[in-house]
Amino acid sequence: MSPRARIILGGLAAVYMLVVFRAFHIQILGVQGIRERGARQYGVKIPLVPKRGAILDRTGNELAVSVATKSIFVQPAKLKSAEAAAAILSRRISRPAPDLRKQLASKKGFLWVKRQMPSSAAEEIVKEIREAQGTGKGRGEEDGIGVVEEPKRFYPNRELASSLLGFTDLDSAGIEGVELSLDKYLRGERAFLMCERDARGRVIVPSTTPVEVNSQGNSVWLTIDRNVQHVAESELREAVARYSARGGVALVMQPKTGEILAMASLPTYNPNTPSGAVPEARKNHALTDTYEPGSTFKVFTMSSALETGSVKTSEKVFCENGSYRYAGRVIHDVHGKGWLTVPEVLKYSSNIGASKVSERMEPERFYDMIRAFGFGTKTGIELVGEVGGILPPKSGFKGIRRATVSFGQGISVTPLQMVSAMSAVVNGGKVMKPYIVREIRDPEGKVVYRGEPQELRRVLSPKTSEQMREMMGLVVQENGTGTQARIKGFLVGGKTGTAQKVEVGTGRYSPNKMVSSFVGFLPLQDPELMILVVIDEPKGQVYGGVVAAPAFNQIAVKTAYYLGISPTEPVAQAVASGERAPKKAGGIALTRVSTSPGESSMVMPDLRGLSMGRVVDVMGRYSVKLNLVGTGVVRLQAPAPGQLLVPGTACTVTFGGR
Amino acid sequence: MTIGKRHENLILFFCTLILAVLGTVMVFSATSVTAGASARFGNDTAYFFKRQVLFLVLGASLAVLLTRVDYDFYRRRIWFLLAATLGLLLLVFVPGIRHTANGASRWINLRVFTFQPSELSKFILLAFAAYTIDRKGENPKEGVKVFLPVLAVTAVFIAIILKEPDFGMAVVIVASCLALLFIAGFPWKLLAGLFGAGVAGVVFLIASKPYRMARLQAFIDPFSQAQAAGYQVVQSLIAFSNGGLLGTGIGSGKQKLFYLPEMHTDYIFSVIGEELGFAGVVAVGACFLTMVWVGYRIARRARDPFGRYLAIGLSSVIGIQALMNMMVGLTMLPPKGMVLPFLSYGGSSLILHLAAIGVLMNISLKGAEAFVADHDHRRRGNRRTRFSGDSDC
């Protein structure tokens, strides 16, 4: 080989070495920018919308579930005939054709046409459109229309507990209520499927990667009982309707534990179609709204005074015959009274009496007691949107301000604070943190969180608490303000409340806008249920004892029998006397009647003359098979009244006209 | 015939076989997805593969035939071959016959397949250069005048090829001709002058066409316009980067999934880089270098000067084009439309390169025959009948 040939060959060899070095640099050493760009252009993260966890009540009834639906999308730019597609869509999903035509004729890349329809319907529509377009037969050639699976939130009980549960948006993200508050548990891990895609954007699902499509959120088991919630809601609705009120709240809580059994708020909405709901309906008024508690607050005044030793139950207070000049203002009572014992102040709900009792305390002590009950701070329930209520500043808490607070004006509280504080009054003096989440379970059913009763602090001694229970028992007795709250089989305690609302804008008390409420508990000596009913702006009647107490009555009786709380009073007798001779029912002694629940549940009550609803209420607690015949009032019953009842006995009750 | 001579043909044969078979496999790997997804190719994943196999068979047959045709035929018929090639080259500009792709009219439409005359002209020009060197003698001292015909004819062909346009082919032809003239003993100074003129021409040509400027810019900073002019460059680099040491395996590359345009033609080397990795890159390059080396060895043993320079020209052009294509793939050179011999998809390229190997083998065979004859002569009369330049080569 000539030297010149060698030079050329050597030159080519040198170039070859350069090529090898360059390849070594790129392929073996790696150039960061190139690697990243490569990874970026292939990688496509497909978000797997996890199946949102269900919300269930304490017994496992489904309150909110996620169901599989399909959403139809179009890619207008790829659509062959927008005209034909619009015509079919317009017919199938009932949307005006011109709108659709306009949308489909656009050159947008992607468009949802209809989201979250039943799977089969969506598939059918797409098939029909594909046929009309003459596409869909090719091998995966894109034709500009398709379906995507999307889970949709479904609330099987519709309005039930809607303002408590809240709702989600179309992408299954919690927007309000429990859905929002516990979103991080419900929504599940946002899983991504790492796929590769080609330059046309088509996804290549790697066959080696297992597809985790069953990613699912945790289920939340609430302390709510669907049936109690239903009772609370329907009774509240009835009261709101009867008095043409703006709305209302009903709360059922276990005073010993702080568990919420029902949280009803009116107005409601259907969370399946949340867009149609007015903002007022979406709010959970039980904790996002405050009201002036009115006379119900006297309970706290009394218990504070008793706890601090400022008064004794035997003491008497002069109630100025209904008009009391104090600190430059005049305090009125609806029914003027003279000398009243401390329990009577509560029974007759005397503003003057409450004010005079509060005068016995150092204002600071009274103020601290109010705060200790939990007023002015959030209860700390698991739900978002809770407010803390408004307390007057401590420095200005004297004189007329302290006096008005003593009977529940000039202070605003949430319904939730009220049941929580009232529970502390009657449960022996412990402030329990209210809670609504009983359990959170992972998709395998393992409990990952369990709601436990939590004692925040002690605010009253057991002795004061017992005194308060007795005093509140008086409220529902003859001549008390809450007589309509009495129920058969139980002694109950409670307090009525009627407060003027502050006008928005003027800041003055409205002459006709009221908040009527009743808060009560049962059984009197060993409270299992604390129930609050608040009616916002009732028309016609305004007194809590009239407007709210009957709703309390119904919720209490139905819930107590439903939950199987043992009656403390002889039911048969109570029913009989209650229905046949209501006048005589008044004089039941405060002390507990010594009829054991075991005994009473073994004796067939006298049902004659009762309505069917009453029979169901009364018989609900017996473990018998109830057989109802006819309509009207009870004419015949078998077994006869007073006979022993063995659990499982068939009872036949025949109804007829009066 | 000695073993030594046959070794050269054997090596040439195996290098060609490896490259051509590998090329067919890589073409299949690179095109199966795109062809399968395209109605234009009848959704046939093997569309390109089948055709490449056909070209391979045709080319191999032609190569076998040409090993039997004494290469002196090309010397005797060189003017006819030149004229015929020129005619074919000009047909590219006749509407109705020409076939245009990617804005360049480089092909003649022969209904069944398209033919690229510039591929043919590449070889014919080198044969003409060898012919001129042979006729005018090998004495460089005779001056530039001897080579004026080569320069003139080459200039005409280059002008036509540039008009198509086929810039890459023009560069390859010029570079190969310069290498041939250099080896033939062309004076350094004149070569330097020619080289300078060539570079100036390249600069002028790049500056004259906006797309060439864009390609150059994309070459200098490909990532600044990764979605536009730099797209191919960047995608090619990503392909190499994906490959690593041993590659993703044949068929497992991702870049061919519509990312890398022209992956089965100009960028087949990137597919090799991705699917066979650094090892594949080194091996393929080594194959080409070996072919050049073997070609030069054949030249040394050639029967006559025409054979020697033809062998040098053919092996140089294959090596230069291959290395330039590799450098484009690795973005060491600005992109230009140019195939990788034996590996890229394309009938004209594959068949003609295989034919060139046939010619090379014929030169080798004839050289061996002459050597044997010479040997016999020497044994008989101890006289040298071989031409004098033998030992210079």
Side-chain angles (χ1 to χ4, degrees), chain A residues 602-616:
Chain A
M602 298 288 273
V603 178
M604 182 73 188
D606 187 354
L607 302 169
R608 282 170 294 185
L610 300 188
S611 67
M612 195 180 283
R614 289 289 181 193
V615 169
V616 175

Side-chain angles (χ1 to χ4, degrees), chain B residues 175-199:
Chain B
S176 315
C177 283
L178 283 176
L180 182 56
L181 292 177
F182 175 76
I183 292 172
F186 208 74
W188 282 97
K189 281 182 192 167
L190 289 168
L191 272 173
L194 276 176
F195 185 75
V199 170

Side-chain angles (χ1 to χ4, degrees), chain A residues 621-635:
Chain A
R621 70 186 179 89
Y622 298 96
S623 308
V624 295
K625 289 173 194 159
L626 199 57
N627 186 17
L628 305 175
V629 183
T631 54
V633 294
V634 177
R635 289 272 168 242

Side-chain angles (χ1 to χ4, degrees), chain A residues 4 53 73 94 119 190 263 269 295 548 579 594 599 608 648:
Chain A
R4 286 198 172 193
F73 67 86
S94 342
S119 289
R190 275 239 178 239
M263 187 183 271
Y269 65 102
S295 303
E579 283 297 313
S594 61
E599 281 169 51
R608 282 170 294 185

Side-chain angles (χ1 to χ4, degrees), chain A residues 432-453:
Chain A
M432 302 302 293
K433 184 175 175 178
Y435 68 100
I436 198 150
V437 179
R438 188 174 162 85
E439 272 171 8
I440 296 175
R441 297 188 189 176
D442 68 12
E444 282 77 48
K446 212 177 88 204
V447 175
V448 294
Y449 170 86
R450 196 187 295 278
E452 305 278 1

Side-chain angles (χ1 to χ4, degrees), chain A residues 570-588:
Chain A
V571 176
Q573 190 193 332
V575 169
S577 58
E579 283 297 313
R580 286 190 182 156
K583 292 272 152 60
K584 290 183 198 161
I588 296 171

